[in-house]
Amino acid sequence: MENSEIARILNEIADLLEIKGDNPFRIRSYRNAALTIENLPFHLETMVREDESRLDEIPRIGKGLHEKIVEIVNTGRCRYHEDLLKEIPHSLLDLLRISGLGPKKVQTLWKELGVTSIDDLERVLKAGLIKKLPGMGAKTEEKILRSLEEFKKRMGRFKLATALTYAQALVSYLRELDGIYQVEPAGSLRRRKDTIGDIDILVTCRKGVPVMERFVNYREVREVLAKGDTKSSVILKCGIQTDLRVLSKESFGAALHYFTGSKNHNIAIRERARKRGLKISEYGIFREDTGERIGGEREEDVFRSVGLPFIAPELRENRGEIEAAEEGRLPKLIELRDIKGDLQIHTRESDGANTIEEMAASALEMGYQYIAITEHSKAVSVAKGLDEGRVLEHMKRIEEVDRRFKEKGLRVLKGIEVDILPSGDLDLDGEVLKRLDIVVGAVHSKFNMTKEEMTERVIRAIETGLIDILAHPTGRLIGEREPYPIDMERVMDVAKRFGVIMELNAYPDRLDLNDIHCKLAKDKGVMVAISTDSHNRMHLWNMKYGIYTARRGWLEKEDVLNTRSYTDLLKVIEERRGLPSP
DNA sequence: GCCGTTTTCGGCCCGACTGTTTTCAGTCG
């Protein structure tokens, strides 16, 4: 059973308890535990089966949750969860996902009108029954109707790249206004999470009202949800909810920290402040006893007040960054400028749009020292994948381009993205693969294997000793295709033995490895290569999204292969190939 | 249900906006 499945059950218990009106702190405990489990860098079921007592080392899991987790792992079920579902219909939980509907309103709808599903909700909305309920009126009914439509339309989240594009345009628009001091996007966008629920923008300015006016009149606004003096919310035409908050200069830092989150990072920081007799809110840092303000203008004030160094936004997930900060072992996170080359690039020879020369010229403009040309292999026929003969021909063309770019400072490596067949065999002859400078291996077919089958498939491929880099290791396409099931810990253990490097595919739809897998690789001492998988010249610029994810995964320059110089890169590959084969 | 620099009971982060209220509950982040 996956960690996410255990977390889902615990989250559902929390939802059910909320509708029941249970103790809010117990509910929080379930949510905290669920979040902790989602973020674990190891497979919880395996750990519990090996040594149940190690559960006690995990924070926010006490006696009660310990028992429930063991039960879930052993039986696949949780009696407490099932008992709750006997009282409360499961489909009621969908209603909580509609904004404006919380546990109390859902309970009222259920008890008073017998609403137990989205369909029921639509029915009572059409019949105009909601405005007759206690505590609800015509406006509530209308709001729920709008939220329901929004919910059906956007069901889910937006890719980071999409949200960043819209946010940056809006920030520029707001900056044009006179009297604006600071405009800063916060939230999961600033933490560079791979998907974004909504955009939060913070502003300081001479006068708040004109900013709010300008915001709600932005050309991209579809609907204004709320408009106040300090906070307004809109839905953009693309469907992203966007909130703007106006702050005083003296509280900007505290607010930036607060609205950057994550929620659990904030709770941990505030808890820390409370123990020091301080109170941290989005308005600043105050002494609990006297109420005296001791800071808040700069974000650093928040960290300093609780005795910590600055923690980069990408790390703020309460995944150990506070402890690391305390012990002075925060990572020095990788930056875009550390990248010296790109190791997965396609050209017209397979399914790319540009020539080798064009890709090389763009790479040179970006200041890179090297690129690898990695076409698909023959199994990926839709992408005009290469057979052995075409690989050898293509190698000559790459060598020719390399000769011309060498003196300009760019080396062009002969590579391939060889298909890992369902059997785990590679799609090209080993003798041909050995003649290439770099071999990237990847799964592109038969995604519906079981976890065991897929893990074996990839491990077999690694054990050929012929793969240097394992590309997009989970095959996910954000918002379109779930990652295929694979035991990443086992894969990385084998990769470590064979010196195989794990790819972080920087293409915005992939970001694969994800942040948690990057951290896992780092912890296991497996090197990561950040590659764009470029199919045209513009794609080369996607490297930044890979960097964002790498930073969320605690990666430093040293953890990433393509921060190496050309000669050091070759050394790493050479050493790997020199490792004893089975 | 978790947790301990107020340590095994009694707390648990904090504030804005909305709508239906007439002093506040619900929701959200």
Side-chain angles (χ1 to χ4, degrees):
Chain A
M1 176 177 295
E2 297 305 312
N3 292 358
S4 56
E5 177 61 14
I6 301 170
R8 188 191 61 80
I9 293 174
L10 298 182
N11 261 324
E12 276 198 16
I13 292 175
D15 286 343
L16 292 162
L17 290 174
E18 270 201 307
I19 294 174
K20 267 187 77 172
D22 209 286
N23 176 355
F25 298 109
R26 175 185 293 136
I27 293 164
R28 185 187 296 170
S29 296
Y30 278 94
R31 292 212 191 284
N32 283 338
L35 197 84
T36 302
I37 290 169
E38 257 170 50
N39 287 331
L40 288 177
F42 54 84
H43 194 235
L44 186 60
E45 177 179 345
T46 310
M47 194 207 79
V48 170
R49 288 193 190 283
E50 279 169 9
D51 182 5
E52 193 185 309
S53 69
R54 282 180 55 205
L55 263 180
D56 302 332
E57 294 164 18
I58 304 175
R60 299 186 253 186
I61 293 176
K63 192 163 167 290
L65 278 154
H66 177 124
E67 280 170 19
K68 290 189 179 68
I69 290 164
V70 171
E71 185 193 353
I72 293 169
V73 164
N74 286 333
T75 68
R77 307 161 46 188
C78 174
R79 286 229 317 281
Y80 184 53
H81 179 233
E82 288 175 2
D83 288 345
L84 285 168
L85 282 172
K86 281 177 199 150
E87 292 177 55
I88 300 162
H90 189 265
S91 54
L92 214 52
L93 301 182
D94 296 336
L95 300 182
L96 289 174
R97 308 277 102 79
I98 295 170
S99 82
L101 281 186
K104 293 289 184 294
K105 286 206 176 85
V106 167
Q107 191 191 43
T108 308
L109 287 166
W110 175 38
K111 295 282 183 200
E112 300 289 326
L113 297 174
V115 171
T116 62
S117 67
I118 302 275
D119 286 347
D120 287 348
L121 180 66
E122 272 192 290
R123 183 172 51 75
V124 298
L125 276 167
K126 277 197 188 116
L129 296 173
I130 287 180
K131 58 177 166 289
K132 293 173 185 154
L133 292 174
M136 301 193 212
K139 285 200 169 177
T140 307
E141 183 170 280
E142 199 195 325
K143 194 179 168 192
I144 295 172
L145 186 61
R146 277 185 289 131
S147 299
L148 177 64
E149 275 163 18
E150 205 56 53
F151 174 80
K152 289 198 292 187
K153 208 178 302 170
R154 69 187 172 112
M155 287 277 281
R157 299 168 64 85
F158 297 85
K159 288 176 206 124
L160 173 65
T162 311
L164 265 177
T165 307
Y166 281 99
Q168 280 157 358
L170 176 55
V171 166
S172 309
Y173 165 82
L174 291 172
R175 277 196 212 281
E176 285 169 23
L177 186 67
D178 273 347
I180 288 270
Y181 304 134
Q182 288 150 298
V183 186
E184 205 66 59
S188 50
L189 191 76
R190 183 159 177 253
R191 301 199 314 278
R192 304 294 193 238
K193 214 166 131 71
D194 49 15
T195 63
I196 303 297
D198 54 25
I199 297 171
D200 279 308
I201 294 180
L202 307 186
V203 166
T204 57
C205 54
R206 206 165 48 227
K207 274 162 66 185
V209 179
V211 183
M212 287 304 185
E213 281 302 318
R214 187 167 176 82
F215 176 59
V216 299
N217 287 309
Y218 184 43
R219 64 176 188 280
E220 289 294 325
V221 168
R222 183 208 296 163
E223 189 188 343
V224 179
L225 297 176
K227 182 164 172 271
D229 290 345
T230 64
K231 183 194 166 184
S232 296
S233 294
V234 303
I235 304 255
L236 298 181
K237 285 175 185 164
C238 63
I240 305 183
Q241 179 171 330
T242 303
D243 299 342
L244 186 80
R245 291 180 163 86
V246 173
L247 307 151
S248 76
K249 231 175 161 180
E250 58 174 10
S251 59
F252 183 74
L256 185 58
H257 177 263
Y258 175 65
F259 289 112
T260 296
S262 68
K263 190 176 173 150
N264 284 281
H265 170 89
N266 288 351
I267 288 173
I269 292 284
R270 285 188 179 190
E271 186 84 27
R272 223 180 135 84
R274 214 177 42 81
K275 284 178 189 157
R276 286 162 190 253
L278 299 173
K279 193 185 71 163
I280 295 177
S281 78
E282 56 262 52
Y283 297 104
I285 306 147
F286 306 90
R287 272 192 217 296
E288 192 117 60
D289 44 6
T290 60
E292 181 202 354
R293 170 194 198 84
I294 61 164
E297 187 169 346
R298 300 180 327 129
E299 204 176 28
E300 287 82 352
D301 298 346
V302 174
F303 292 109
R304 198 176 331 110
S305 75
V306 294
L308 296 176
F310 183 80
I311 299 174
E314 293 95 328
L315 295 179
R316 300 182 199 166
E317 298 289 343
N318 200 20
R319 291 180 189 158
E321 73 279 8
I322 293 172
E323 294 78 0
E326 176 143 49
E327 294 158 21
R329 50 176 181 82
L330 277 175
K332 186 177 184 308
L333 296 178
I334 185 171
E335 296 179 37
L336 186 56
R337 64 163 181 262
D338 295 327
I339 294 293
K340 301 262 190 338
D342 197 333
L343 297 173
Q344 202 197 148
I345 289 176
H346 299 261
T347 74
R348 279 172 17 191
E349 185 63 21
S350 60
D351 60 346
N354 293 100
T355 61
I356 304 171
E357 288 88 336
E358 285 164 347
M359 298 307 279
S362 291
L364 194 61
E365 278 173 32
M366 298 179 75
Y368 284 166
Q369 293 182 14
Y370 51 86
I371 55 171
I373 302 296
T374 55
E375 313 292 356
H376 287 287
S377 63
K378 58 181 186 274
V380 193
S381 52
V382 285
K384 295 191 293 169
L386 282 57
D387 60 17
E388 285 78 0
R390 282 177 64 206
V391 169
L392 294 172
E393 287 301 310
H394 200 45
M395 283 170 71
K396 288 183 201 157
R397 287 193 287 273
I398 297 170
E399 277 170 8
E400 196 268 319
V401 175
D402 179 49
R403 269 196 295 279
R404 281 191 283 127
F405 276 79
K406 199 167 160 181
E407 53 207 56
K408 299 177 188 169
L410 182 89
R411 300 303 306 258
V412 186
L413 294 163
K414 302 184 287 289
I416 195 77
E417 184 185 8
V418 64
D419 219 52
I420 297 173
L421 303 173
S423 61
D425 293 325
L426 301 181
D427 186 32
L428 290 169
D429 184 75
E431 292 310 311
V432 173
L433 293 176
K434 284 179 190 164
R435 293 174 62 176
L436 292 157
D437 299 318
I438 199 152
V439 175
V440 179
V443 167
H444 290 104
S445 63
K446 204 158 186 287
F447 297 116
N448 59 353
M449 295 171 100
T450 65
K451 184 173 178 180
E452 288 68 32
E453 289 167 343
M454 188 59 89
T455 306
E456 282 311 314
R457 174 183 184 178
V458 171
I459 286 178
R460 271 207 66 193
I462 293 173
E463 285 176 343
T464 62
L466 295 165
I467 292 179
D468 300 309
I469 298 178
L470 179 67
H472 42 74
T474 77
R476 74 164 174 174
L477 290 175
I478 296 171
E480 289 168 54
R481 186 171 73 208
E482 289 295 303
Y484 44 71
I486 189 163
D487 186 339
M488 195 56 74
E489 282 194 81
R490 271 188 69 205
V491 168
M492 286 198 192
D493 286 338
V494 180
K496 169 84 181 164
R497 282 215 322 274
F498 283 81
V500 166
I501 294 125
M502 304 294 282
E503 180 184 272
L504 192 187
N505 192 296
Y507 197 72
D509 298 49
R510 290 192 182 268
L511 301 178
D512 176 14
L513 306 175
N514 68 20
D515 49 359
I516 291 172
H517 290 146
C518 286
K519 179 89 178 347
L520 182 66
K522 185 187 176 83
D523 291 345
K524 286 188 178 290
V526 173
M527 206 182 273
V528 172
I530 309 179
S531 305
T532 59
D533 202 352
S534 284
H535 285 68
N536 66 53
R537 330 166 59 145
M538 297 310 294
H539 284 167
L540 290 168
W541 295 97
N542 287 332
M543 186 60 81
K544 56 179 175 287
Y545 301 115
I547 295 291
Y548 298 148
T549 297
R551 288 170 62 88
R552 286 181 56 81
W554 294 52
L555 296 190
E556 302 175 85
K557 186 177 172 182
E558 293 69 31
D559 303 317
V560 175
L561 175 66
N562 48 319
T563 61
R564 304 287 197 277
S565 69
Y566 177 68
T567 43
D568 288 347
L569 169 80
L570 292 189
K571 249 183 247 168
V572 172
I573 301 294
E574 202 176 313
E575 271 172 34
R576 194 207 75 71
R577 294 185 176 187
L579 285 174
S581 283

